[in-house]
Every structure is written in C-alpha cells, then in structure tokens.
Amino acid sequence: MTATVTSTSAQPALASIKFPDGFVWGTATAAYQIEGAAREDGRGPSIWDTFSRTPGKVFAGHTGDVACDHYHRYADDVALMAGLGLQSYRYSIAWPRIQPDGTGPVNARGLDFYDRLTDELLAKGIDPVVTLYHWDLPQTLEDRGGWANRETALAFAEYAQIVHQRLGDRVGTFTTLNEPWCSAYLGYGSGRHAPGKQDPALAFAAVHHLLLGHGLAARELRSAGARNVSITLNPSVVFPVDPDSAADQAAVRLLDGLSNRIFLDPLFKGKYPVDILQHMSQFTDLSYIQDGDLATINAPLDVLGINFYQPSYVSAKPGSPGMLDQPGSYGIATRPPTGPVTDMNWIIEPAGLTHLLQRIHREYPGTAMMITENGAAYPEGPSADGAVHDSRRIEYLDGHLRACHDALAAGVDLRGYFVWSLMDNFEWAEGYAKRFGIVHVDYTTQKRVLKDSAKWYRDVIKRNGIGS
Ligand code: IFM
C-alpha cells in the first residue's frame, strides 16, 4: 500500500490510496429486494410477501412482487456489472424458490435460475459470492414458529446442503446468514421487519436458532467441500455520548453485548457472554440453548462479512424503555444525529468503520474480514443531461474506502469491499422510497442508468485504489 498526496488545488488535499494486490471489488444485492417474479416458476410465499401485503407495514404498500425484475433481466444486469469491471458479485438465494414450503420437495426451476445466473457471472469473469439467507423465510416455516422454533435451524441446514449440491462446483464462497441481528430483533423484537412479531423472548430465541442454523449449515457446507464458509454480521459501533460518564460507558457495554458480543462470542469463542446471558434471563428461561449447540455454532469460518453504515451515540437514561429495535436495552437512550446524515437519517462517520475493523481484529484475533455491504441512500435521479449526479454518495464511499485503507494499514486482514447496492431496490419497510444503488432504476420502465458513483467505482476498481 502506498499513500501519496497528488492534489495541488487550494482544496484540502486528499491522498491517493492503493489497495493490496488481490483485494476484491464487488457489489451486493438480495433476492427479495431485486428479483420480482414473486409467484413464478414454483416459488413459494415468504414472510416478506406476507408482511409487505399487511397494511401499514411497508411504505405506501410497496411489495417485492416486481422489484427490479432481475429474475428476467439478470443477463442484462450481469452485462452491466461486467461493464463496471466488477470482480465479484454478492447475491442471495430465495429459500422459497428452492423449497417452496421450507422443507421437503425441491423446486428444480428455482435452482435452475441461480444456475443460469452463476454461469452468466462466470462467463463474464465475475466471481459469485452466495448468501443463503437474506431474510426471505418460507412462510410455512414461520407458521410453525419461524426462527423462534429450533426446527427452522435444522431445515436451514438441509436447504444449505441442497444449494451447495447444485452450485458448489462453481461458487467459491457461501455465506450462511445476512445480518442475523435484523432477522431476530427487527423481525421478532420491534416488529419493524417481517414477520412483525414484538416479543423479546421470541427475539432472543431467534438469535440462538439463527446462530444454530448457521453452525449446522456451516458443517454441511464444509463436509460437502465448500471452499469458503462465512457469515455476515452488521455489528453496531456504539460510542458513549459522554466518554467520561461511567453510566454512559455501562450503557455502551450493555448495548455492545446485546447487539455484538451475543453473536461474535458464540461464533468465535463458543460461548455466550456471561453478562448478556444474565441480562437475557430477565426475558427468557434460555431453555432453548441445548448441550452441544455452542460447539456447533463455533464452526470454523474462512471469512467474516461485515456490513457497516453508521455508528451510534448512546447515554444512560434511567427509566427509559430503551431502544425499540434492541430488546433488553431499557435505561438507554440514543442521541439523534448531530452532523451530516444520509437519506435514511443515518450518521456519516467513516472512522466508525476503522474502529470496528480494528476492534474485531484485536478481540477476535486471526479473523479475516470482507466488507460485504457499505453504501448510502440518496434520492438523486436523472438530471436534464440524462446523468445521475450523486456526488454525496461518491463522498460517502470515498470516505469509507479510506477508512478501510486505514484499517489495512493498522494490520487488519481485510480481503475485499462490496458496495451496497448494485442498483436501487426494495428497501424493506421503506419500500422503493430509499435508493441505495450506484445504478438508478426507473421502476416504471425498468431502465437502468449508471449514476456518477458507478462510474467513479469503475475507476476505483480499475486503479485498485482512489486517485492517480
Ligand atoms: O438494504 C439493506 C440490506 O438488505 C441489508 N443491509 C442494510 C441494507 C440497507 O438498509
């Protein structure tokens, strides 16, 4: 890595940066957010089909029924990726396309789609990274208790094995889960995501069964010969509002435990943090944690996927019910953003990413990492000249790539970076109102237009860095 100052203008000079040889550049998407074709070729219903059709749950009643119509346009989309020079593409498989009821009969036409997509990517020299679960649980499994039910973890391992059997000869990296924090806490805690349950006991049971599902699937994948097995987390980066306040620091510690150590410790140390088990036992009897589960969850990982968007600042607030999205966080308050934010009202602070990567490197030594998602929502669409001038997104991405570079310089084993997202898509409870893509999608015509950020990213990939 080298860093040289190249600007001679009156503006503060930003250094050119280079990434290590072999650093992987990609973009990411997820099945329900882009595919559409919700009832085609034998796909069964998922919890997001049900949730998005439930009045009041998703912005303006939007659904993923059509989304970006990627199911039919995948070849054009892959051509577009190739034009950007992408080296890798992270996509997810819709479980209800593969097993419409979550268990039992396999739907060959569902597998055929991912087979075609994978071949198309490889034909264009793009390495596929497959996420097995990005939130679209088959509805039948939810009807039996979803992730709060141990059976779902067992079913997930069977599904992982089915997908590997079909794609494992061509896919080098299988990621079991995307952001289990969201599946458990937004799905079963605050209810802001599907299936919309609001019960801390269910949320904590879901955390355990998601981790168990990961461990069981990782074992299946490994024994079937998978080259790289991973999981993607979205660790919170939490700072105290007042660093000198012991109470604020205790709030940070609790929140870090409930959102981060509850996943990281079982995965990397084979145990739950003692303080968090004690805290959880106020809400649940923990009887769902069975002998042997933690050894299963502690399966070897080749790479840890990190999704990062923003840090947060919290303080102790005795008597407060806590944060809606974080069951068990009573007595803690979040400070609203005080500086620049994205269209999601998310804080822009790239140094938080360096902090996170260094923390995992220090506390879970030997962990190789990939940024599997990072990006920003901004509303810009085509201007009169037909182009999409999204300079704020470029600035956001530039800042976060520099933050990655800082982590690399500090010795973090960071292998690659995937922009969220390749194209504008269904942003869950926000529907199509928030646009994260570096490619603009007109949802009426399905026309794709490269935003300025896509052209900028093409250049970053070509140079393996920023600047000259
Ligand atoms: O769109 C989501 C993605 O599905 C998971 N990570 C966060 C993104 C932005 O909210």
Side-chain angles (χ1 to χ4, degrees), residues 30 33 134-135 178-179 182 234 307 309 344 346 373 420 425-428 436:
Q33 294 181 271
H134 198 126
W135 308 354
N178 179 71
E179 301 182 358
C182 295
N234 58 325
N307 292 356
Y309 290 90
M344 297 290 279
W346 289 354
E373 285 181 27
W420 184 271
N425 59 50
F426 177 82
E427 177 52 26
W428 308 112
F436 275 90

